[in-house]
Amino acid sequence: MIYMSLKGVKNIFFDLGGVLVDLEKARCIKEFSDQGISNAETRIERSHKTGLFLALETGSISVTEFHDQFRKIAGCFISDENIDRTWNLYLGEVHPKKIDLLKKFRSQYHVYMLSNTSKIHFDFLKDHTFLKEKGCAIEDCFDKCYLSYELHLYKPDPKIYEYVLNDTSSKASECLFIDDDELNIEAAKNLGFKTCLYKSMDDLKELFGEF
């Protein structure tokens, strides 16, 4: 159970994948395997969050460079379009109730996205996922999106939390951060954020009541 006072909270920072957007890792891996990548799960896991994908999500390499390097890892030719299409299969849906919650919060709090993500994923979400849910665009749900590939900063580096505090002219004690990664949560908590380690929709209901 989550027991937390939201008194004094003015800003809510939501993680994206695993909190707002369901993740479909198995579907993505299967499709890459079907395209001819042997040991797709091992190859992708080896680079995810540590190598090539980390470089993409920190903006250290361009999307074009990512495509070229991915083909080397894959050991076979996959077009740019198929790389993007398959990588975007990692992203599932946004529950309609979460969209309702975000829009409701806009009248009560400043609502932000704070995400480790790539241009490939974020462009897809802007153009497909969020628009699909009740015709609600990202700009209708968030005051601003803080994205790792644009900031060249990556959770749980304390610098990314310090950046958003400075950019929003906020005190950490006025901020609630919701994420599904314990390391990210601990880093924010160490700076004074109120935090919620997200595991399911029930966590949001316990925090904010039924919605």
Side-chain angles (χ1 to χ4, degrees):
M1 298 288 288
I2 297 173
Y3 299 99
M4 180 191 303
S5 171
L6 297 179
K7 184 178 180 180
V9 171
K10 299 178 181 179
N11 313 289
I12 302 179
F13 291 85
F14 283 92
D15 179 36
L16 182 59
V19 175
L20 295 177
V21 178
D22 296 331
L23 297 178
E24 302 286 349
K25 174 184 171 182
R27 180 176 67 178
C28 175
I29 296 295
K30 181 181 183 303
E31 181 63 18
F32 274 128
S33 296
D34 291 346
Q35 292 188 50
I37 301 179
S38 61
N39 300 317
E41 183 167 10
T42 301
R43 289 174 185 267
I44 290 172
E45 282 291 344
R46 191 177 295 144
S47 292
H48 192 221
K49 305 300 182 186
T50 58
L52 181 58
F53 292 96
L54 177 62
L56 181 67
E57 292 191 348
T58 55
S60 301
I61 60 172
S62 68
V63 172
T64 297
E65 290 170 323
F66 170 77
H67 290 152
D68 291 341
Q69 293 184 37
F70 184 86
R71 278 187 280 269
K72 293 178 182 177
I73 291 174
C76 62
F77 179 80
I78 304 176
S79 68
D80 294 351
E81 293 75 15
N82 271 338
I83 292 172
D84 291 354
R85 179 186 64 79
T86 307
W87 186 227
N88 285 330
L89 289 175
Y90 205 105
L91 303 172
E93 296 297 321
V94 181
H95 195 290
K97 286 190 175 182
K98 292 181 182 178
I99 293 292
D100 293 341
L101 186 67
L102 290 170
K103 294 172 75 172
K104 174 184 175 182
F105 282 169
R106 288 295 299 280
S107 65
Q108 303 174 42
Y109 306 95
H110 298 295
V111 180
Y112 303 102
M113 180 190 298
L114 177 56
S115 176
N116 290 340
T117 191
S118 68
K119 178 173 173 55
I120 294 171
H121 275 172
F122 192 69
D123 284 353
F124 177 83
L125 290 167
K126 274 195 307 184
D127 296 339
H128 298 87
T129 307
F130 274 85
L131 289 178
K132 185 178 179 181
E133 299 291 342
K134 299 185 177 181
C136 184
I138 278 183
E139 54 265 29
D140 297 319
C141 298
F142 301 96
D143 290 275
K144 188 169 182 178
C145 295
Y146 293 98
L147 311 172
S148 60
Y149 76 91
E150 291 184 339
L151 300 178
H152 306 290
L153 295 170
Y154 198 80
K155 298 177 295 185
D157 185 342
K159 291 180 181 178
I160 196 169
Y161 305 99
E162 292 166 352
Y163 179 92
V164 299
L165 289 176
N166 182 65
D167 194 64
T168 59
S169 301
S170 301
K171 298 177 182 177
S173 60
E174 300 171 338
C175 301
L176 171 64
F177 175 57
I178 303 172
D179 199 291
D180 64 327
D181 187 297
E182 290 187 21
L183 291 177
N184 296 343
I185 287 291
E186 285 304 312
K189 188 181 295 185
N190 288 339
L191 289 173
F193 282 74
K194 295 185 176 182
T195 61
C196 170
L197 178 61
Y198 178 90
K199 295 181 180 178
S200 72
M201 284 275 284
D202 289 340
D203 295 323
L204 298 182
K205 291 176 182 178
E206 289 178 22
L207 263 177
F208 306 112
E210 291 292 331
F211 53 88

